[in-house]
Amino acid sequence: MLRAGETVLDNALGFDAEVTFIGTIHTPFKERGQCPRQGDAEAGPDCTITAIPELEPALAGLERFDSVEVLYWLHLARRDLLTQSPKADGAVRGTFSLRSPLRPNPIGTSRVRLIRREGTRLIVRGLDCLDGTPLIDLKPDRCSFTVQARAKGLD
Ligand code: SAM
């Protein structure tokens, strides 16, 4: 269903990227209405990111970082909106000027607090996605890779 002023793409793009999901995110949010607009890395609930077992060696060392960037595939989002009215109030904006989940490539990112790692499971705070959302990637927080952090030997 479209809101007043919203427009859609007429399938001109063709969705051709090949992304391999590397795990699954588990959150207490079972419906979209329960998800926060953005996660809270301090006060948000504990969530679990489970990487596929074959990737456990790739997680080694991640626990050195308090803050981790998580990329995920917002799998229930429609992908054809060019303009959107997030508040359904008549105000319309371009998709790329929003952090809306509804976008041609529905990739979500959150900077989460890493509480602990248990093998392929990461316990984190700061997610805003549905339970069962596919995981695309994990990276140490980019702030750990500034010139200043490098001088401290963090990266
Ligand atoms: N933090 C990410 C970002 O900024 O890229 C996502 C922000 S987006 C505003 C978060 C919203 O996406 C949630 O409040 C929920 O309505 C919706 N959402 C969460 N998980 C989803 C999923 N798996 N598929 C579709 N929509 C989802």
Side-chain angles (χ1 to χ4, degrees):
M1 192 188 75
L2 294 179
R3 295 170 178 162
E6 292 185 335
T7 53
V8 300
L9 190 64
D10 61 1
N11 203 26
L13 279 184
F15 297 112
D16 59 358
E18 194 171 313
V19 173
T20 298
F21 298 143
I22 61 165
T24 306
I25 298 176
H26 297 287
T27 71
F29 314 124
K30 307 295 182 201
E31 297 172 11
R32 272 182 267 198
Q34 298 172 342
C35 299
R37 293 292 298 169
Q38 292 291 340
D40 183 336
E42 296 305 319
D46 283 7
C47 300
T48 304
I49 297 171
T50 307
I52 61 176
E54 292 82 355
L55 293 180
E56 183 166 358
L59 296 171
L62 192 61
E63 60 279 355
R64 295 169 60 229
F65 298 91
D66 292 334
S67 188
V68 171
E69 287 174 27
V70 185
L71 283 75
Y72 38 98
W73 189 257
L74 296 157
H75 64 307
L76 298 184
R78 63 184 292 172
R79 302 175 64 177
D80 59 350
L81 284 184
L82 295 173
T83 56
Q84 305 182 34
S85 179
K87 295 181 182 164
D89 61 357
V92 176
R93 291 171 58 187
T95 287
F96 298 131
S97 75
L98 297 165
R99 292 206 67 103
S100 162
L102 316 176
R103 48 204 319 115
N105 291 318
I107 294 171
T109 67
S110 287
R111 181 183 294 158
V112 303
R113 182 164 166 228
L114 178 56
I115 308 296
R116 65 182 182 279
R117 176 164 85 91
E118 299 168 352
T120 56
R121 284 159 34 96
L122 306 176
I123 314 303
V124 305
R125 280 185 205 142
L127 284 168
D128 52 21
C129 58
L130 286 167
D131 188 39
T133 294
L135 176 66
I136 297 175
D137 203 359
L138 298 163
K139 304 184 189 197
D141 187 349
R142 75 193 66 195
C143 294
S144 302
F145 290 80
T146 58
V147 173
Q148 291 78 9
R150 188 166 292 169
K152 292 181 194 164
L154 235 191
D155 67 340

